[in-house]
Amino acid sequence: MRNDTLAFEEEAIRQIAPRPRNLAETGLAQDFLCDLLAKHCYWGGILNQQQLVERTALAWPVLESLLNFMRTSGYIEVLSPNENSMLLRYVLTERGRNLALDAQLKSGYSGHAPVPLALYERVVQAQSIHNNLVTREDMARVFKDVVIRESVLDQLGPAMHSGRPIFVYGPPGTGKTYTGMQLLGLLDDSILIPYALAVGDYVVQFFDPSVHHPLASADKSAQFMLDEGHDPRFVRCRRPSVITGGELTLEMLELAHDATTKQYFAPLQLKANNGIYMIDDLGRQRVESTDLLNRWIVPLEQKQDYLTVGCGTRFPVSFDVVLIFSTNLNPLALADEAFLRRLGYKVRFEVLTAEEYESIWRQVCKKHAIAFDATAFRYVLELYRREDRPLLPCQPRDLLGLVMDQCRYQGLANQVTDERLACAWNSYFVRPVSDPEPLAHGKPDVLHPAPNPLVIDKENRIC
């Protein structure tokens, strides 16, 4: 993004979460923040004014009132500036160190000051992902270089701002996961992500650098100026996208608690708020698919999730996510028709036609500066026909990648030949041990399948 665009968005964001000017505007109790300051001073040693502002993400007038209280209470001492700075310095007294240790026993969190849950709720609603209108032109822009059927785009587009979940299904390798993550390109604005949430006396760490990707501020000096910028307890990020597969468990959808460090961590769907959460390979998890699907009934219907802290204290939190389920299993083997009706948009992904496969093949050739060889392409189509294999969008990239590996090994320029394709084919596909030879001719033509075949094998997979 350009700096002028960032500056414009920064002003809009500042209206959503203005910088707190005093203790009351933080929404946090004085004792709570004194405990946090004590932990910072305990772990940081002697800290000056600027260091405390950076560590706590609180404006100096807020910190000044807290430090004055802690000084008069005997928790800290004020040291004069050193030769390298004109800033006052602060250090804990013995009483202050005891305060820090007691605070550490209650919560091991010692990062930026958290955001009260009520403020976070207002921010989530103000930047809801469902406020973004998606048009046909938007879909064409994001998928302009992707070989995908228009009928699929016309289902996915309305689903993005509908507030309803999206259920995509079809044979493995048909581009379900890639397409789901490509949808994030429709959302090119920025949002505010809190570093941490305050739920009563508990702190939940929220910001996760593997999910949340910060954007550079239009003016970094604004973070130190009381009258400029948004509340620095939030970090400005791109809209998040989270994807989980077979590793997903129900425990991962609840608050995680580390008993050793006494810290809480936000679950996946909370980190994905105002963004996209995709559950891939549905039915392959270590939990029954019905249990996993039932977990989403309340969030989807009420637009609120319920989480638990402490000894069973439950609290509601906004659920503002484009939820995508993806599977290559038979949908009716995962849930009954009554439940599937709740899922809103069901989108089936098909195997490719020969023409669609050729378009992808040409794209991969162009990307890697490989001359398109019509004879070699006809040869690879013949291999598909002989072995009765479906044409999948992931395969041109994989097969041509194996061809390029051979070329590099031989010290030659990238060129596709029948021999190299045959070698790549044998490396890529696995044949049953009992039938090592390619299938004979005369098999049904899979290059032009029926419009919507739904064939289920013995393991409930879509064929």
mmCIF file of all heavy atoms in Angstrom, residues 22 29 37 49 69 72 81 139 145 167 170 186 194 202 222 241 252 307 333 354 411 431 441 455-456 459:
data_model
loop_
_atom_site.group_PDB
_atom_site.id
_atom_site.type_symbol
_atom_site.label_atom_id
_atom_site.label_comp_id
_atom_site.label_asym_id
_atom_site.label_seq_id
_atom_site.Cartn_x
_atom_site.Cartn_y
_atom_site.Cartn_z
ATOM 1 N N ASN A 22 -6.166 8.861 29.500
ATOM 2 C CA ASN A 22 -6.063 8.776 30.949
ATOM 3 C C ASN A 22 -6.394 7.355 31.386
ATOM 4 O O ASN A 22 -6.786 6.511 30.564
ATOM 5 C CB ASN A 22 -6.973 9.802 31.628
ATOM 6 C CG ASN A 22 -8.407 9.713 31.127
ATOM 7 O OD1 ASN A 22 -9.026 8.645 31.182
ATOM 8 N ND2 ASN A 22 -8.936 10.837 30.629
ATOM 9 N N ALA A 29 -8.359 -1.531 35.427
ATOM 10 C CA ALA A 29 -8.250 -1.076 36.814
ATOM 11 C C ALA A 29 -6.828 -0.655 37.137
ATOM 12 O O ALA A 29 -5.854 -1.166 36.567
ATOM 13 C CB ALA A 29 -8.700 -2.183 37.766
ATOM 14 N N LEU A 37 2.911 -3.227 35.385
ATOM 15 C CA LEU A 37 4.120 -2.400 35.441
ATOM 16 C C LEU A 37 5.182 -3.027 36.332
ATOM 17 O O LEU A 37 6.380 -3.003 36.011
ATOM 18 C CB LEU A 37 3.761 -1.007 35.970
ATOM 19 C CG LEU A 37 3.407 0.072 34.947
ATOM 20 C CD1 LEU A 37 2.988 1.340 35.670
ATOM 21 C CD2 LEU A 37 4.598 0.355 34.041
ATOM 22 N N GLN A 49 11.468 6.308 30.837
ATOM 23 C CA GLN A 49 10.107 6.650 30.440
ATOM 24 C C GLN A 49 9.733 6.069 29.070
ATOM 25 O O GLN A 49 8.656 5.493 28.899
ATOM 26 C CB GLN A 49 9.951 8.176 30.430
ATOM 27 C CG GLN A 49 10.046 8.806 31.812
ATOM 28 C CD GLN A 49 10.223 10.303 31.734
ATOM 29 O OE1 GLN A 49 11.253 10.783 31.252
ATOM 30 N NE2 GLN A 49 9.228 11.051 32.206
ATOM 31 N N PHE A 69 1.536 6.828 41.737
ATOM 32 C CA PHE A 69 0.879 6.024 42.765
ATOM 33 C C PHE A 69 1.824 4.964 43.316
ATOM 34 O O PHE A 69 1.901 4.750 44.543
ATOM 35 C CB PHE A 69 -0.373 5.360 42.182
ATOM 36 C CG PHE A 69 -0.998 4.341 43.089
ATOM 37 C CD1 PHE A 69 -1.791 4.728 44.163
ATOM 38 C CD2 PHE A 69 -0.772 2.977 42.898
ATOM 39 C CE1 PHE A 69 -2.357 3.789 45.016
ATOM 40 C CE2 PHE A 69 -1.335 2.028 43.741
ATOM 41 C CZ PHE A 69 -2.123 2.433 44.811
ATOM 42 N N THR A 72 4.502 6.629 45.599
ATOM 43 C CA THR A 72 4.005 7.005 46.931
ATOM 44 C C THR A 72 3.648 5.780 47.764
ATOM 45 O O THR A 72 3.642 5.852 49.005
ATOM 46 C CB THR A 72 2.763 7.911 46.800
ATOM 47 O OG1 THR A 72 1.760 7.239 46.035
ATOM 48 C CG2 THR A 72 3.117 9.217 46.111
ATOM 49 N N PRO A 81 18.226 10.911 35.356
ATOM 50 C CA PRO A 81 18.693 10.488 34.034
ATOM 51 C C PRO A 81 20.182 10.183 34.045
ATOM 52 O O PRO A 81 20.947 10.725 34.857
ATOM 53 C CB PRO A 81 18.380 11.701 33.145
ATOM 54 C CG PRO A 81 17.322 12.460 33.885
ATOM 55 C CD PRO A 81 17.615 12.251 35.339
ATOM 56 N N MET A 139 -14.372 -10.794 -8.057
ATOM 57 C CA MET A 139 -13.988 -12.196 -8.236
ATOM 58 C C MET A 139 -13.151 -12.371 -9.497
ATOM 59 O O MET A 139 -12.153 -13.104 -9.502
ATOM 60 C CB MET A 139 -15.231 -13.079 -8.292
ATOM 61 C CG MET A 139 -16.045 -13.112 -7.014
ATOM 62 S SD MET A 139 -15.162 -13.863 -5.621
ATOM 63 C CE MET A 139 -15.231 -15.597 -6.076
ATOM 64 N N ASP A 145 -5.994 -15.008 -13.167
ATOM 65 C CA ASP A 145 -4.957 -15.922 -13.654
ATOM 66 C C ASP A 145 -5.183 -17.356 -13.189
ATOM 67 O O ASP A 145 -4.265 -18.184 -13.225
ATOM 68 C CB ASP A 145 -3.574 -15.444 -13.201
ATOM 69 C CG ASP A 145 -3.204 -14.096 -13.797
ATOM 70 O OD1 ASP A 145 -3.553 -13.852 -14.961
ATOM 71 O OD2 ASP A 145 -2.589 -13.280 -13.083
ATOM 72 N N PHE A 167 -19.214 -24.629 2.274
ATOM 73 C CA PHE A 167 -18.855 -26.052 2.301
ATOM 74 C C PHE A 167 -18.419 -26.439 0.893
ATOM 75 O O PHE A 167 -19.226 -26.451 -0.033
ATOM 76 C CB PHE A 167 -20.061 -26.883 2.751
ATOM 77 C CG PHE A 167 -19.756 -28.334 2.999
ATOM 78 C CD1 PHE A 167 -19.328 -28.769 4.242
ATOM 79 C CD2 PHE A 167 -19.898 -29.274 1.987
ATOM 80 C CE1 PHE A 167 -19.056 -30.103 4.477
ATOM 81 C CE2 PHE A 167 -19.622 -30.596 2.203
ATOM 82 C CZ PHE A 167 -19.200 -31.032 3.453
ATOM 83 N N GLY A 170 -15.377 -32.265 -3.201
ATOM 84 C CA GLY A 170 -15.026 -32.788 -4.512
ATOM 85 C C GLY A 170 -13.793 -33.656 -4.406
ATOM 86 O O GLY A 170 -13.192 -33.803 -3.330
ATOM 87 N N LEU A 186 -9.677 -10.925 -1.916
ATOM 88 C CA LEU A 186 -10.821 -10.015 -2.005
ATOM 89 C C LEU A 186 -10.807 -8.983 -0.892
ATOM 90 O O LEU A 186 -11.507 -7.973 -0.968
ATOM 91 C CB LEU A 186 -12.128 -10.813 -1.927
ATOM 92 C CG LEU A 186 -12.399 -11.802 -3.061
ATOM 93 C CD1 LEU A 186 -13.518 -12.749 -2.661
ATOM 94 C CD2 LEU A 186 -12.754 -11.056 -4.338
ATOM 95 N N PRO A 194 -5.698 -6.896 18.573
ATOM 96 C CA PRO A 194 -5.138 -6.594 19.898
ATOM 97 C C PRO A 194 -3.943 -7.495 20.213
ATOM 98 O O PRO A 194 -3.908 -8.649 19.795
ATOM 99 C CB PRO A 194 -6.310 -6.892 20.833
ATOM 100 C CG PRO A 194 -7.088 -7.958 20.126
ATOM 101 C CD PRO A 194 -6.969 -7.643 18.657
ATOM 102 N N TYR A 202 -8.188 -11.854 34.041
ATOM 103 C CA TYR A 202 -7.389 -12.761 33.219
ATOM 104 C C TYR A 202 -6.938 -12.048 31.944
ATOM 105 O O TYR A 202 -7.640 -11.186 31.413
ATOM 106 C CB TYR A 202 -8.194 -14.011 32.843
ATOM 107 C CG TYR A 202 -8.631 -14.834 34.027
ATOM 108 C CD1 TYR A 202 -9.925 -14.699 34.549
ATOM 109 C CD2 TYR A 202 -7.772 -15.736 34.627
ATOM 110 C CE1 TYR A 202 -10.344 -15.457 35.629
ATOM 111 C CE2 TYR A 202 -8.177 -16.494 35.721
ATOM 112 C CZ TYR A 202 -9.460 -16.353 36.217
ATOM 113 O OH TYR A 202 -9.856 -17.096 37.294
ATOM 114 N N ALA A 222 3.936 8.630 15.160
ATOM 115 C CA ALA A 222 2.613 8.860 15.741
ATOM 116 C C ALA A 222 2.361 8.014 16.971
ATOM 117 O O ALA A 222 1.548 8.384 17.819
ATOM 118 C CB ALA A 222 1.533 8.583 14.685
ATOM 119 N N SER A 241 -5.917 -15.083 7.914
ATOM 120 C CA SER A 241 -6.428 -16.331 7.339
ATOM 121 C C SER A 241 -5.779 -17.484 8.089
ATOM 122 O O SER A 241 -4.569 -17.501 8.288
ATOM 123 C CB SER A 241 -6.112 -16.426 5.844
ATOM 124 O OG SER A 241 -4.717 -16.400 5.610
ATOM 125 N N MET A 252 -8.170 -27.478 20.426
ATOM 126 C CA MET A 252 -7.543 -26.345 19.748
ATOM 127 C C MET A 252 -8.531 -25.213 19.512
ATOM 128 O O MET A 252 -8.127 -24.105 19.141
ATOM 129 C CB MET A 252 -6.929 -26.815 18.424
ATOM 130 C CG MET A 252 -5.799 -27.804 18.597
ATOM 131 S SD MET A 252 -5.299 -28.602 17.048
ATOM 132 C CE MET A 252 -4.636 -27.221 16.131
ATOM 133 N N LEU A 307 -16.191 -19.011 25.405
ATOM 134 C CA LEU A 307 -14.919 -19.565 25.854
ATOM 135 C C LEU A 307 -14.871 -19.543 27.380
ATOM 136 O O LEU A 307 -15.650 -18.845 28.034
ATOM 137 C CB LEU A 307 -13.758 -18.768 25.264
ATOM 138 C CG LEU A 307 -13.721 -18.696 23.726
ATOM 139 C CD1 LEU A 307 -12.642 -17.731 23.252
ATOM 140 C CD2 LEU A 307 -13.506 -20.081 23.123
ATOM 141 N N ALA A 333 -21.764 -38.565 4.420
ATOM 142 C CA ALA A 333 -21.114 -39.429 5.399
ATOM 143 C C ALA A 333 -20.602 -38.624 6.591
ATOM 144 O O ALA A 333 -20.241 -39.194 7.618
ATOM 145 C CB ALA A 333 -19.949 -40.183 4.749
ATOM 146 N N ALA A 354 -10.145 -31.520 -20.675
ATOM 147 C CA ALA A 354 -8.841 -31.462 -21.343
ATOM 148 C C ALA A 354 -8.460 -30.016 -21.658
ATOM 149 O O ALA A 354 -7.289 -29.630 -21.565
ATOM 150 C CB ALA A 354 -8.854 -32.300 -22.619
ATOM 151 N N GLY A 411 22.060 -31.065 -16.542
ATOM 152 C CA GLY A 411 22.760 -29.864 -16.969
ATOM 153 C C GLY A 411 22.246 -29.315 -18.277
ATOM 154 O O GLY A 411 22.987 -28.680 -19.036
ATOM 155 N N ARG A 431 1.413 -47.045 -8.518
ATOM 156 C CA ARG A 431 0.544 -48.104 -9.016
ATOM 157 C C ARG A 431 0.486 -49.215 -7.985
ATOM 158 O O ARG A 431 1.454 -49.458 -7.264
ATOM 159 C CB ARG A 431 1.067 -48.663 -10.344
ATOM 160 C CG ARG A 431 1.132 -47.648 -11.476
ATOM 161 C CD ARG A 431 1.459 -48.343 -12.801
ATOM 162 N NE ARG A 431 1.600 -47.382 -13.880
ATOM 163 C CZ ARG A 431 2.746 -46.837 -14.252
ATOM 164 N NH1 ARG A 431 3.857 -47.170 -13.614
ATOM 165 N NH2 ARG A 431 2.784 -45.973 -15.241
ATOM 166 N N HIS A 441 -5.755 -50.077 -22.920
ATOM 167 C CA HIS A 441 -6.634 -49.153 -23.625
ATOM 168 C C HIS A 441 -8.076 -49.624 -23.488
ATOM 169 O O HIS A 441 -8.360 -50.742 -23.073
ATOM 170 C CB HIS A 441 -6.246 -49.096 -25.117
ATOM 171 C CG HIS A 441 -4.953 -48.375 -25.332
ATOM 172 N ND1 HIS A 441 -4.891 -47.043 -25.603
ATOM 173 C CD2 HIS A 441 -3.671 -48.827 -25.316
ATOM 174 C CE1 HIS A 441 -3.620 -46.680 -25.760
ATOM 175 N NE2 HIS A 441 -2.866 -47.746 -25.599
ATOM 176 N N VAL A 455 -19.750 -40.086 -7.615
ATOM 177 C CA VAL A 455 -19.477 -41.501 -7.414
ATOM 178 C C VAL A 455 -18.699 -41.641 -6.119
ATOM 179 O O VAL A 455 -17.699 -40.957 -5.916
ATOM 180 C CB VAL A 455 -18.672 -42.103 -8.596
ATOM 181 C CG1 VAL A 455 -18.439 -43.578 -8.360
ATOM 182 C CG2 VAL A 455 -19.419 -41.872 -9.896
ATOM 183 N N ILE A 456 -19.178 -42.514 -5.251
ATOM 184 C CA ILE A 456 -18.561 -42.674 -3.941
ATOM 185 C C ILE A 456 -17.946 -44.061 -3.848
ATOM 186 O O ILE A 456 -18.576 -45.069 -4.193
ATOM 187 C CB ILE A 456 -19.605 -42.520 -2.821
ATOM 188 C CG1 ILE A 456 -20.411 -41.224 -3.030
ATOM 189 C CG2 ILE A 456 -18.969 -42.565 -1.455
ATOM 190 C CD1 ILE A 456 -19.572 -39.984 -3.021
ATOM 191 N N GLU A 459 -14.622 -46.080 0.734
ATOM 192 C CA GLU A 459 -14.173 -45.300 1.870
ATOM 193 C C GLU A 459 -14.864 -43.950 1.934
ATOM 194 O O GLU A 459 -14.382 -43.012 2.567
ATOM 195 C CB GLU A 459 -12.653 -45.110 1.790
ATOM 196 C CG GLU A 459 -11.880 -46.424 1.900
ATOM 197 C CD GLU A 459 -10.377 -46.175 1.899
ATOM 198 O OE1 GLU A 459 -9.975 -44.996 1.923
ATOM 199 O OE2 GLU A 459 -9.627 -47.168 1.897
#
